[in-house]
Amino acid sequence: MSTYAQEVKRVTTHTLQEMKNRGEKISMLTAYDYSLATLVDMAGIDVILVGDSASNVMAGHETTLPITLDQMIYHASAVVRAVKRALVVVDMPFGTYQGNSTEALRSVIRIMKESGGHAVKLEGGQEIRESIIRILSAGVPVMGHLGLTPQSIYKFGTYAVRAKEEAEAARLLDDARMLEEIGCFGLVLEKIPAHLAQKVAESVSIPVIGIGAGGGVDGQVLVLHDMLGINQAFKPRFIRRYADLHTVITGAIQQYVTDVRNNDFPNENESY
Ligand code: KIV
């Protein structure tokens, strides 16, 4: 009897490139734990991002800056144990790659050896070029991330749309071309004007995945807890809610509390 693991064909960076070449859109979502990663993978997602948004979503921090390398490895290894099909990309946390390329490589080696992830994502362009080259030279696939890069929130001062001005848009396009040239397998564009994102996707041959970057790119990524409606406090216009799990989960828990208080749970069939 064949298992799900034996039946499925794994998504690789090459699969994503072929999808872009064929004009097929790529789907990507975050996951941070075994149980939800199992569901995300079985539902047919192409790429699972173990995002440093775990810092917000899992740990309740205000920004992505506090999450550590050890914590990212913990989340990533749980996701990797769940996933049979999707490509698992792991975010490099703030402070583990910006210093120099040796430090970047050391951090990546820990991620790859200890989590079993398939690729890493780094935020930034020209300023982290050397680190990316060093990581790529070790045979580790790298995804870039431009536009709104949350690890730089204190430089930006706001989570507003980036690259609306011509100079920043031109820099972003140059960075995207540079990331392609040095060998990144893909690129995330976050919260930039749709026309700019489309121009980037048409200017580079590698897959460009958008979040708040319109429909003219090669694929989309969302934070799982946002699209499932678990987290209702965060509602920028680029999020589409596919479920209202906040209501479903709190409703179920309220019912459980009522049943326990009324001695309705457990009943005879639920007892030994
Ligand atoms: O950490 C994250 O969830 C991300 C996505 C928003 C792209 O980087």
Side-chain angles (χ1 to χ4, degrees):
M1 196 174 78
S2 65
T3 64
Y4 173 65
Q6 288 166 328
E7 282 161 20
V8 293
K9 191 160 180 271
R10 275 206 172 270
V11 176
T12 66
T13 57
H14 299 282
T15 316
L16 303 182
Q17 186 61 61
E18 284 164 9
M19 288 175 78
K20 169 151 182 160
N21 297 347
R22 287 194 298 264
E24 269 173 50
K25 298 278 184 177
I26 297 162
S27 61
M28 173 163 160
L29 280 173
T30 65
Y32 318 101
D33 69 279
Y34 179 86
S35 300
L36 285 179
T38 301
L39 299 182
V40 173
D41 189 49
M42 290 189 89
I45 206 78
D46 299 312
V47 184
I48 293 185
L49 172 66
V50 185
D52 60 355
S53 50
S55 181
N56 314 100
V57 176
M58 292 282 105
H61 291 296
E62 215 171 282
T63 72
T64 56
L65 276 69
I67 200 160
T68 65
L69 189 57
D70 283 339
Q71 288 164 343
M72 285 303 297
I73 290 169
Y74 169 81
H75 288 295
S77 57
V79 168
V80 167
R81 282 192 288 275
V83 169
K84 308 282 184 275
R85 176 182 175 273
L87 182 81
V88 179
V89 179
V90 184
D91 258 344
M92 293 195 66
F94 176 69
T96 63
Y97 61 96
Q98 293 93 344
N100 59 60
S101 62
T102 308
E103 182 193 30
L105 183 60
R106 201 176 301 125
S107 308
V108 163
I109 287 174
R110 278 205 60 204
I111 290 175
M112 301 301 284
K113 278 178 107 75
E114 295 177 39
S115 80
H118 310 138
V120 294
K121 175 165 80 59
L122 284 73
E123 294 184 6
Q126 194 58 41
E127 68 282 7
I128 54 161
R129 185 174 179 273
E130 291 312 312
S131 289
I132 296 178
I133 289 173
R134 192 81 188 265
I135 295 166
L136 288 165
S137 74
V140 177
V142 174
M143 180 169 232
H145 184 156
L146 299 172
L148 176 65
T149 46
Q151 292 178 10
S152 304
I153 186 57
Y154 292 118
K155 182 176 88 178
F156 298 147
T158 149
Y159 286 101
V161 178
R162 301 303 311 172
K164 280 160 94 176
E165 308 301 330
E166 227 174 90
E168 191 180 341
R171 235 184 356 260
L172 188 145
L173 190 53
D174 285 349
D175 277 340
R177 289 189 172 125
M178 180 276 293
L179 291 173
E180 174 188 27
E181 192 193 305
I182 64 176
C184 287
F185 75 87
L187 180 58
V188 166
L189 294 180
E190 181 165 353
K191 222 170 173 190
I192 63 169
H195 65 85
L196 174 62
Q198 180 165 352
K199 188 170 172 189
V200 173
E202 287 168 357
S203 304
V204 297
S205 60
I206 56 175
V208 174
I209 312 296
I211 173 165
V217 288
D218 306 307
Q220 299 292 327
V221 56
L222 283 175
V223 168
L224 183 65
H225 292 61
D226 295 338
M227 62 86 77
L228 291 179
I230 295 174
N231 171 18
Q232 303 239 334
F234 182 61
K235 32 185 161 197
R237 68 197 263 182
F238 66 78
I239 293 174
R240 184 179 294 178
R241 292 213 194 287
Y242 286 85
D244 179 7
L245 290 197
H246 177 91
T247 305
V248 172
I249 292 171
T250 53
I253 293 168
Q254 280 162 359
Q255 187 60 54
Y256 169 74
V257 170
T258 304
D259 289 354
V260 170
R261 284 186 184 150
N262 294 340
N263 206 17
D264 278 346
F265 175 80
N267 62 24
E268 245 177 58
N269 293 334
E270 291 157 340
S271 305
Y272 298 98

